[in-house]
Amino acid sequence: MHQKSELPDEIDISNAADVDWVKAQTDPAIWHEAAVAALAYRGDRHGFVTWLVQQPEMDRATAGWILLWSPFREFLTGDRASMFETGVTVPELVEILTALCERSDRIGFSNDRLGLEDEWEKPRQACKAIMESGELDPHLRAPTAIVGKPFPAPLDDMPYSVHDGTMISRQFFKRMLPHLFK
């Protein structure tokens, strides 16, 4: 991972200027945490995740997190009526997930470094089972390049981590840690 010396201490993905800064970075690890912050906490009113799915350097773990965090069973089987709203509306999520599946089938993912925690292995297996059992909506492309093999372990040196929807830089956290226990 590139550790940039001057990372902003905090990033709020609901702020347009912060989204612009994140988009300007060439670090898929920053993009990954921004996707988590947008979808799981802050929403994506600036279209960051839609933009991210089109980036050739997006990591497979980011695609995996987006797919497996979503109501993927309902999406993959075509049961859109049962899908729930996340940080985006159901139509926006369907658009994002469809684009991920198309990318998976078309060009795949050249980056596969970031990894995911072990908790994502069961959902990955469930996603594979949907594809293998013939339950996949015939209008979708199979996300084989995303879930076809296990994810590596997550990296320990991510430049940011998400706390209550705010991306906090690792550098800032390390600077503040001694002050938290005084």
Side-chain angles (χ1 to χ4, degrees), residues 4 11 24 48 58 88 140 155:
K4 300 192 176 27
I11 295 175
F48 171 75
M58 181 177 81
V88 295
L140 288 178
L155 295 179

Side-chain angles (χ1 to χ4, degrees), residues 22-33:
V22 169
K23 284 181 176 180
Q25 304 312 297
T26 58
D27 190 342
I30 293 173
W31 295 347
H32 179 88
E33 297 302 329

Side-chain angles (χ1 to χ4, degrees), residues 4 6-8 11 16-25 30 160:
K4 300 192 176 27
E6 294 299 322
L7 293 174
I11 295 175
D18 287 357
V19 171
D20 290 343
W21 183 89
V22 169
K23 284 181 176 180
Q25 304 312 297
I30 293 173
Y160 283 91

